[in-house]
Each structure stands twice: as structure tokens, then as C-alpha cells.
Amino acid sequence: MSDAQEGNEQARQRAQHDDTSEHPFAAPAAATSSGGEGRPARRLSRRGWTLVCSALLVAVFGAVGATVSVPYVALGPGPIYDTLGEIDDEPVISVRDDDGEIVEDLVYDTTGSASLTTVSVADDVTMFNALARWVSGQFALAPREQYFRPGLTEEEIQEENIAQFEHSQDSAEVAALRLLGYPTGVYVQEVLPDEPAEDIVPPGAELLAVDGTELDSIHEVHDVLADRGPGEVVELDYRDEDGQEHSDTLELGAREDREQGFMGVTLTERAEVDFTIDIELADVGGPSAGIMFAVAIVDRMTEEDLLDGEHVAGSGEIAVTGEVGPIGGIGFKVDAARDAGVDAFLVPEQNCPEAVAADAGDMTLISVGTLEETIDALEAYTAGGDVPTCE
């Protein structure tokens, strides 16, 4: 063999060796025809198996993170609704007679906006979705059980939220009409089982007097019982749902959380008027809209333009007696109002620290404790005067 031939043969052998050198993803050599001598099949190297397993783990993690829900909900700013506005060409709040017709002589034109604010609650949050929302800084995560009580179906939870929303409407109506000077009555909303009032005063009865003191508000009941202890007997005058009046006596019971005697009833107030206040707003739940409903009712039924063109928003529970209670998610509601260009935001005084911690922008955060304080503050605000703020 010549030197050239020998060099070519060595080169061919080297090339053949290179073609069959170990590679993590080398395919097995094709078999030769029958009776031929093929190259041996190659197995994956340790590095190859590591890469394959890693890829599989990443795929599994991605599938789980994108599809499996975590036991949390994502909270963020929700939509806002103008309670002085219209929906489908009908006012959100209207005053109607027994025939359902609007009572024009009881309502007045308004020029401002009184927006209730909400918090969006996203359920069925996946791991990746939760992480993305949290990293954005616009959302917060909270245990799902805080918003969806275990043991309840989605329908039951929805019904509970609607009931709370309707209760806030009723409370706002009574509180607003009381402030406007309309008469109210005290009613027995619930008689607690195994308590002194059981089998004495029926649910739904109007409580007319306690120990001779005629009643117009729940506060008056509390005042009468303030110096009465457990075991003392009080006289009750009430009117049942059939219109029959009764007098009876009741021995006050005891409770661990109070020194005064306890009747064992839950009381509410109702406005004694010949019209109804109709509030039309769907797809909203919970009790925190009360203060804005009350403000809107007062503005609609007051000749003076309360808001005078200002865009006011807020949130807070309200009792029939006018007290404004704290609510959750105030930071998200402040964010939503700021983004909507709201001028002033009504904050329950207990929520002021959270509201101040949020980014209110140029909004004025007005601190309120009662409906009367709220109306006074709004009158001062629109007149350019001093108002109680959270700062």
C-alpha cells in the first residue's frame, strides 16, 4: 500500500470513529443488511438522562402551576358604581308610591356623584396566576376560607352576600330618613331562643314603650335599660303584626359581656312613611355600601344640592341609628377611587390608618363616624371649609 493510500485509510478510520463518538443524544446506528456487521446501539449518557429528567420535571411543574388551584383568593380594586346615576335609563335610587310610581315631589336634581366602591375577589387562582398577581403589587392574596366559608356551596355564599347587601340598603334607608326628620319605629327583628323575651314578645312586633317610656329609636331602649340589672322586671308595650296592642312584663336576664339586664331580642328600626325607597343595583354583595346609599338618599331628598358637582366615593357599613362601621379592603377601594378621578373619599374613622397607607393621590380622605357627621363634612367640603380628614 502506498503512503497516500495508507493516509487515506487512516483518515477514513478517524472519520468513522468521530461519527460514532459518544454524544448524549446520539441515535443508535442503523443495522446493516442480514449477515452484515452493524454498529452497536448507543445508550443515553448520565448527562442526557439528567437533561431529560429535568425537562420532564419542568413540564410537570408548569402543568401543575398553570392548572391546579391554590387555597387562596386574589384581592384587588373592583368597579365603582354611582348611586346617584342611572342604570338602563332608570335611577339607581328612587322614591316610589304604593303603585310603584316615582314620587316626583319628594326628589330633587343632583349634580354630583356618590360612588360606592368594591373589592374584586378572584377565586380558582392557580399557582402561577397567584404569583403573577402578587408580584404586580396591585393584588393581595388571602386564605380562601376568609371569603368562602367551608361547608357552604357557591349558591349559599352568593345568597349570603346578597342578603348582606340588601340589609345595608334597608339600614341606609332608615338612617337617612331619620336624619331627614321622618318618624321611625322600633321593631323586634329576632327573639333569641332560651332568653327572657321568648314566648313574651313575638318577632316582627313594634316595641312601643319600655317601663312607660315611649320609643322612637333603639338608643332610647338602651337608655331605659342602662341602670337596670339582671333579675329586674320591666313592663313592655308592643303592637303585634296583626295590629293588636299588648302589655306584658319581662324579667331581665344576664350576659357575661354586660352588667345591664338583657331582654334577649335583636331590635331594628323602620321608617314610618307612606312611600318606599327603591335601590336598583345588581351584581354587588356585602354590607359596605351602606354609607354611600345613605348619602345618596339624603342628597336626592334634599332641595339643597349636597355634592354640588363633586365626585365623592366611599365605603362603610351603616346602622339604622346612623353609626358608620369599618369595612375590609379599604386600600383597594382607595386605589379604585383614585384611578376613577374621585375628589373626596369617605372613610370610616376606624379605617383611617389603612386608608392613609394607600396611595390616595390628590383625593381628600374624609374621616366619618356617623351619617350626620358625614353630611356635615360634605357640606363643609363643597363650601371650601375645613373637614375632618384621616391625615
Side-chain angles (χ1 to χ4, degrees):
M1 180 181 297
S2 67
D3 290 342
Q5 289 175 328
E6 183 178 354
N8 290 337
E9 179 63 18
Q10 289 175 352
R12 183 186 65 78
Q13 291 175 356
R14 284 197 300 270
Q16 194 175 51
H17 179 269
D18 289 342
D19 287 343
T20 59
S21 61
E22 188 173 84
H23 189 280
F25 295 105
T32 62
S33 60
S34 177
E37 182 179 349
R39 290 178 294 178
R42 310 299 297 182
R43 295 183 178 180
L44 284 178
S45 67
R46 180 178 297 177
R47 179 184 173 208
W49 279 115
T50 300
L51 292 174
V52 169
C53 291
S54 298
L56 288 174
L57 287 174
V58 169
V60 170
F61 180 75
V64 170
T67 59
V68 177
S69 298
V70 294
Y72 290 87
V73 294
L75 308 177
I80 70 174
Y81 302 90
D82 183 11
T83 57
L84 289 173
E86 294 185 345
I87 294 180
D88 296 331
D89 297 326
E90 291 291 332
V92 173
I93 294 178
S94 58
V95 181
R96 299 179 182 271
D97 59 23
D98 292 338
D99 296 325
E101 299 296 325
I102 293 179
V103 183
E104 298 288 352
D105 59 348
L106 289 179
V107 295
Y108 301 89
D109 292 334
T110 61
T111 61
S113 297
S115 298
L116 65 87
T117 52
T118 64
V119 173
S120 67
V121 181
D123 195 17
D124 291 330
V125 180
T126 65
M127 185 187 304
F128 287 168
N129 187 263
L131 181 62
R133 290 173 184 255
W134 179 75
V135 170
S136 73
Q138 298 179 340
F139 297 85
L141 300 178
R144 188 179 188 278
E145 61 190 23
Q146 292 183 7
Y147 294 85
F148 298 90
R149 286 194 293 139
L152 295 182
T153 65
E154 291 187 12
E155 291 76 13
E156 290 172 332
I157 293 171
Q158 180 68 11
E159 289 174 359
E160 186 177 84
N161 286 334
I162 292 174
Q164 291 177 341
F165 189 63
E166 291 176 346
H167 179 69
S168 74
Q169 295 176 5
D170 294 339
S171 297
E173 175 183 342
V174 175
L177 293 177
R178 286 182 79 250
L179 186 66
L180 293 172
Y182 289 93
T184 59
V186 180
Y187 289 79
V188 177
Q189 182 174 351
E190 181 183 9
V191 178
L192 304 180
D194 302 321
E195 297 293 350
E198 188 175 33
D199 299 326
I200 295 178
V201 183
E206 180 182 4
L207 200 56
L208 304 174
V210 176
D211 269 357
T213 300
E214 296 184 358
L215 306 174
D216 292 318
S217 72
I218 295 175
H219 286 312
E220 292 174 331
V221 179
H222 295 162
D223 291 342
V224 172
L225 299 179
D227 59 353
R228 306 296 176 87
E232 293 191 45
V233 176
V234 295
E235 183 176 355
L236 303 180
D237 296 322
Y238 65 90
R239 182 186 295 116
D240 63 27
E241 292 184 306
D242 294 328
Q244 300 297 314
E245 295 190 6
H246 307 265
S247 292
D248 213 329
T249 57
L250 179 148
E251 181 179 334
L252 299 175
R255 282 180 53 172
E256 294 181 356
D257 61 344
R258 60 192 297 175
E259 296 181 359
Q260 295 87 358
F262 175 64
M263 291 196 300
V265 296
T266 301
L267 300 177
T268 189
E269 292 184 26
R270 298 177 191 169
E272 307 289 351
V273 294
D274 58 358
F275 56 82
T276 60
I277 295 180
D278 188 27
I279 300 177
E280 294 292 339
L281 190 60
D283 301 325
V284 180
S288 63
I291 181 60
M292 298 314 300
F293 283 139
V295 167
I297 292 170
V298 171
D299 197 9
R300 292 279 291 172
M301 299 186 68
T302 303
E303 186 172 4
E304 180 183 355
D305 188 2
L306 176 64
L307 300 184
D308 195 23
E310 299 288 342
H311 188 179
V312 175
S315 186
E317 292 190 43
I318 194 165
V320 292
T321 50
E323 288 83 3
V324 179
I327 45 81
I330 190 71
F332 297 120
K333 295 176 179 182
V334 169
D335 289 345
R338 179 203 62 226
D339 293 343
V342 168
D343 301 308
F345 192 92
L346 304 177
V347 183
E349 54 189 8
Q350 298 96 321
N351 287 125
C352 271
E354 301 165 73
V356 170
D359 180 10
D362 295 328
M363 281 192 308
T364 301
L365 300 178
I366 301 177
S367 174
V368 296
T370 67
L371 178 59
E372 185 174 7
E373 292 174 1
T374 301
I375 301 304
D376 290 343
L378 289 173
E379 290 175 344
Y381 177 77
T382 55
D386 295 331
V387 297
T389 63
C390 288
E391 291 84 358

